[in-house]
Amino acid sequence: MEELFSKVLQVAVRCRDCEERKANLRVNIELQLTTSPVHKRDLLVRLTDDLDPYFLFNLSISEEDFQSLKVQQGLLIDFASFPQKFIDLLNLCYSEQDSDNPRFLLHLTCQAPTLEGPANFSVVETNAFKHLNHLSLRLTQGSDKHIKDYLAVCLSSLKVCSFIVIRHHKGFVRRQWPTMLTKTKELDKLRSEWTTQTSSLSSRHSSELQSEREKTMELQSRLQQQTEQLRQDLETAHKKSSQELQSRLTGLEASCRELTERKYKNESVIRDLKMKLVAAEEDCQHSKQQVVSLRRENSTLDTEVHEKERLVSQLQMRVAVLEQEIKDKDQLMRHTKEALEATQQQKESVEENAGSKELQIRKLEATVKSLSEELIKANGIIKKLQGEVRGLVGKIKVKNTVTVSQEKILQETTEKLQSVKNDLQSTQQQLSTKDEQVSKLKEQLELTVQKLNESKEVLKTNENVINWLNKQLNEKQLSRNPQSTESLEIPSVLSTATGLRVGRLTSDCVSNITVSTPNTTALNLLTLFSRHSFILRQGNLLCLPPQLLSLLLISGGKQPTDKREFSYLSF
């Protein structure tokens, strides 16, 4: 027994009075060789379901059976190449079963309401024209004995496979056991090293934090000296900007009044032009309707002329046919005359045939006379039709002259209408430009008012921030030095340079300040300066006092690098 093919394929199952369903069935093809008592080969086709062990359909094809199958289905191959060709068809079905529109399909049809009894297993190719049935095999349902034999074979194969897998798993565990022991030892070493490193890092971090706090105390005193000067400069700058904005506001209101008056005048002009445009469009539509009616009459006349010409051509063809028939009759007359001369020479032998020939001659003469009369009548009809055609041509010429004059009038009206439309478009463009100017002026006015309100709010927020910073500094100094009773002076320095520039001033401050791992105090300071600073909203840079910088550095844990210079801090 040699197994040639074993795969799970998608099969369309059809039963009588049931809807078609798709199932995944396993197709097995085996070649059975028997040597006793006679050497022969049988091809076994088995159809099973992995989910249903009682589903079994078999077919055994011998060489004699294949010959009858070959004759019935018109196969062009022999029994030796049949298994490989059948496997190729099944492989095509397997490769295309996942596509949306598969070309090769497998069908299992049964005449019973359920899958009982014999069934047809066929390979079908689909195309745009029809379904081509390449091969159809009639399978029989397996009996109880066949099912038991099949299940016994499956059970024995599963036992062999499980034994091989268990033996392989045991050998793998024996090989990997020493490596697992070494890996556990290495893991314990890494854990001990990690604990020692964490303890050393925590001690280093605490010492660095203490040194940073001492340095930020020095910067805190410098920040207090700069806050007061910052507030005074902000007040003077705000007064100047508010006066300038008020003067610009009055000028913009005057220009806005002038533009509204111009807008009303342009709207009245546009109304007049629209009325003229409506009247011109009505005239144009009326003239277009007249042109359409004239074109329809012209088309009807053209069709009548074409019909008359077709009749004339048909009659001419009929006349030509009749003339050809007359020529044929003349030839017949000549032949009959020659026959008469021959009969006169052989008068004694053909006296009996002479009477019949004379009757034929009389009939032919009668037909010639009738054909000549029909020709005369046809010529009269042709002359009448030619006269009617001449009259229709004259009428068409008159209609053409009328349509040309109407088209000229229509062209003039369209030109006038186009000129009116151009004037209307120009006025609309002028009006749109005026509206854009008015909208721009309104936007500028709104921006100036908004900036004025923002500057007022910023002054209030800056005063609140300065007061809060003074309170924080005083509380910290009182908590650290409770014996000192002297009040702190708060000078401040403000840099109002516009644009995103970085300047450097020689003073007792810190350069290149960055804050890492901020706590709650640093976060509060940063959010206040980033949201409410007037210098931030105007796109300027803020030079913080040394006391505020020291407070930020205390909160963030960053040590200053130099005490002789400081940089602008930009938000």
Side-chain angles (χ1 to χ4, degrees):
M1 187 77 71
E2 182 182 358
E3 186 176 5
L4 302 177
F5 182 82
S6 178
K7 283 184 180 179
V8 177
L9 302 176
Q10 192 174 21
V11 181
V13 181
R14 295 178 183 174
C15 296
R16 190 181 66 185
D17 300 332
C18 295
E19 294 182 356
E20 181 180 344
R21 63 184 180 88
K22 291 184 178 181
N24 293 322
L25 303 179
R26 181 176 294 278
V27 181
N28 291 323
I29 298 174
E30 298 175 354
L31 187 63
Q32 186 177 7
L33 299 174
T34 57
T35 57
S36 62
V38 181
H39 182 76
K40 64 178 182 177
R41 293 182 298 173
D42 293 335
L43 186 67
L44 298 177
V45 180
R46 185 186 298 115
L47 199 64
T48 58
D49 190 356
D50 293 342
L51 302 177
D52 186 6
Y54 295 102
F55 184 87
L56 178 63
F57 282 88
N58 290 322
L59 176 63
S60 177
I61 302 173
S62 62
E63 294 184 3
E64 292 81 7
D65 296 334
F66 178 75
Q67 295 300 324
S68 62
L69 182 68
K70 181 177 180 181
V71 173
Q72 289 175 2
Q73 300 188 12
L75 301 178
L76 302 176
I77 56 176
D78 54 359
F79 184 75
S81 59
F82 173 69
Q84 186 60 41
K85 295 294 182 183
F86 186 32
I87 290 168
D88 293 339
L89 289 174
L90 294 176
N91 285 324
L92 288 172
C93 296
Y94 180 75
S95 62
E96 295 187 3
Q97 66 183 1
D98 294 331
S99 63
D100 296 332
N101 295 315
R103 185 180 172 188
F104 290 91
L105 299 172
L106 293 174
H107 291 279
L108 183 65
T109 58
C110 183
Q111 299 300 324
T114 59
L115 280 174
E116 294 179 356
N120 290 325
F121 182 67
S122 56
V123 181
V124 179
E125 181 182 358
T126 59
N127 54 25
F129 182 68
K130 64 179 292 188
H131 294 278
L132 299 175
N133 194 349
H134 286 281
L135 183 63
S136 180
L137 301 176
R138 189 170 181 81
L139 305 178
T140 58
Q141 189 178 11
S143 61
D144 292 338
K145 181 182 178 183
H146 292 148
I147 292 170
K148 289 177 181 178
D149 294 337
Y150 170 69
L151 292 175
V153 171
C154 292
L155 182 62
S156 62
S157 63
L158 285 173
K159 285 181 179 179
V160 172
C161 291
S162 62
F163 178 74
I164 293 168
V165 170
I166 291 168
R167 188 172 62 185
H168 179 71
H169 182 68
K170 288 180 179 178
F172 179 76
V173 169
R174 290 193 199 97
R175 289 193 298 271
Q176 296 295 328
W177 182 254
T179 57
M180 290 171 64
L181 294 174
T182 55
K183 294 293 181 182
T184 53
K185 291 179 181 178
E186 291 177 358
L187 182 61
D188 294 334
K189 290 180 181 179
L190 290 172
R191 282 178 181 174
S192 61
E193 291 177 357
W194 180 70
T195 52
T196 54
Q197 287 179 0
T198 51
S199 61
S200 63
L201 287 171
S202 60
S203 61
R204 286 177 60 191
H205 179 68
S206 60
S207 61
E208 289 177 357
L209 183 62
Q210 186 64 30
S211 62
E212 290 294 331
R213 285 178 180 175
E214 292 175 356
K215 291 175 181 178
T216 51
M217 288 297 294
E218 296 177 357
L219 292 173
Q220 186 177 2
S221 61
R222 295 172 189 171
L223 289 172
Q224 289 177 353
Q225 295 175 1
Q226 294 178 359
T227 53
E228 185 64 27
Q229 186 66 31
L230 176 64
R231 186 177 64 80
Q232 292 177 0
D233 292 337
L234 285 172
E235 287 178 355
T236 54
H238 175 64
K239 288 179 181 178
K240 290 179 182 179
S241 62
S242 61
Q243 291 175 359
E244 291 176 356
L245 292 171
Q246 191 67 31
S247 61
R248 287 182 66 187
L249 180 62
T250 54
L252 290 171
E253 287 177 351
S255 61
C256 184
R257 293 192 195 95
E258 292 177 358
L259 290 171
T260 51
E261 291 175 357
R262 290 180 184 175
K263 180 182 177 181
Y264 293 139
K265 290 179 182 178
N266 289 323
E267 286 177 353
S268 62
V269 173
I270 287 167
R271 290 193 197 96
D272 297 333
L273 291 172
K274 283 182 179 178
M275 294 295 290
K276 292 179 181 179
L277 179 62
V278 170
E281 286 179 351
E282 290 178 355
D283 294 335
C284 181
Q285 289 178 357
H286 183 66
S287 60
K288 282 181 179 178
Q289 290 176 358
Q290 291 179 356
V291 169
V292 169
S293 63
L294 291 171
R295 284 179 179 171
R296 287 176 181 172
E297 292 177 359
N298 194 3
S299 63
T300 55
L301 291 171
D302 288 334
T303 54
E304 289 178 359
V305 169
H306 288 304
E307 289 178 357
K308 297 292 183 183
E309 288 178 353
R310 188 179 64 187
L311 289 171
V312 169
S313 63
Q314 289 177 357
L315 291 171
Q316 287 177 355
M317 291 292 292
R318 192 172 178 185
V319 169
V321 171
L322 292 172
E323 288 178 353
Q324 185 67 32
E325 289 179 355
I326 290 166
K327 289 179 182 178
D328 294 336
K329 298 296 182 182
D330 290 335
Q331 290 178 359
L332 287 171
M333 289 290 290
R334 289 170 192 164
H335 289 301
T336 53
K337 286 178 182 180
E338 291 175 357
L340 284 171
E341 290 175 358
T343 54
Q344 287 176 0
Q345 292 176 1
Q346 297 177 357
K347 204 172 188 181
E348 295 176 355
S349 62
V350 289
E351 285 178 353
E352 295 178 357
N353 294 326
S356 63
K357 295 292 182 183
E358 287 176 359
L359 291 173
Q360 289 179 359
I361 290 165
R362 288 171 187 171
K363 289 179 181 179
L364 290 171
E365 287 176 353
T367 54
V368 169
K369 287 178 182 179
S370 63
L371 289 172
S372 62
E373 289 175 358
E374 288 179 358
L375 282 173
I376 291 165
K377 290 178 181 180
N379 288 325
I381 292 166
I382 289 166
K383 288 177 181 179
K384 288 179 182 180
L385 291 173
Q386 286 177 353
E388 290 178 358
V389 169
R390 292 192 190 98
L392 290 171
V393 170
K395 289 180 182 179
I396 289 166
K397 288 181 180 178
V398 173
K399 293 291 183 180
N400 287 329
T401 55
V402 173
T403 53
V404 168
S405 62
Q406 290 292 333
E407 286 179 354
K408 288 181 180 178
I409 294 166
L410 180 62
Q411 188 174 4
E412 291 176 357
T413 54
T414 52
E415 289 177 355
K416 290 179 182 178
L417 181 63
Q418 188 66 31
S419 64
V420 171
K421 286 182 178 178
N422 292 328
D423 295 334
L424 180 62
Q425 288 178 358
S426 63
T427 54
Q428 287 178 353
Q429 288 177 357
Q430 291 177 1
L431 180 62
S432 63
T433 54
K434 297 297 183 182
D435 290 335
E436 288 176 357
Q437 291 177 0
V438 170
S439 62
K440 287 180 181 179
L441 291 171
K442 286 181 180 179
E443 289 177 356
Q444 290 178 0
L445 179 61
E446 290 176 357
L447 288 172
T448 52
V449 173
Q450 187 178 2
K451 288 179 180 178
L452 182 61
N453 293 326
E454 287 178 355
S455 61
K456 289 179 181 179
E457 291 177 359
V458 167
L459 277 175
K460 291 179 182 179
T461 53
N462 286 332
E463 289 177 357
N464 292 327
V465 170
I466 291 165
N467 292 325
W468 181 78
L469 289 171
N470 287 329
K471 287 180 182 180
Q472 293 290 327
L473 292 171
N474 289 326
E475 287 175 0
K476 287 192 176 183
Q477 285 187 358
L478 288 171
S479 63
R480 293 179 183 277
N481 299 317
Q483 295 178 359
S484 62
T485 58
E486 295 178 359
S487 62
L488 296 172
E489 295 180 356
I490 311 171
S492 62
V493 178
L494 172 66
S495 175
T496 59
T498 59
L500 298 173
R501 300 191 305 272
V502 177
R504 177 168 291 188
L505 302 174
T506 59
S507 180
D508 293 335
C509 294
V510 179
S511 64
N512 299 324
I513 296 172
T514 58
V515 177
S516 62
T517 63
N519 58 8
T520 55
T521 307
L523 283 171
N524 290 326
L525 288 172
L526 289 173
T527 52
L528 284 170
F529 273 97
S530 62
R531 292 180 183 176
H532 304 293
S533 178
F534 174 75
I535 297 169
L536 171 64
R537 298 200 181 204
Q538 295 295 326
N540 297 332
L541 298 176
L542 177 65
C543 179
L544 296 176
Q547 289 84 0
L548 183 57
L549 289 172
S550 63
L551 183 59
L552 286 171
L553 290 170
I554 288 168
S555 302
K558 180 72 177 178
Q559 184 176 1
T561 57
D562 194 357
K563 293 184 179 180
R564 295 182 180 179
E565 58 187 8
F566 70 95
S567 298
Y568 291 99
L569 183 61
S570 174
F571 290 92

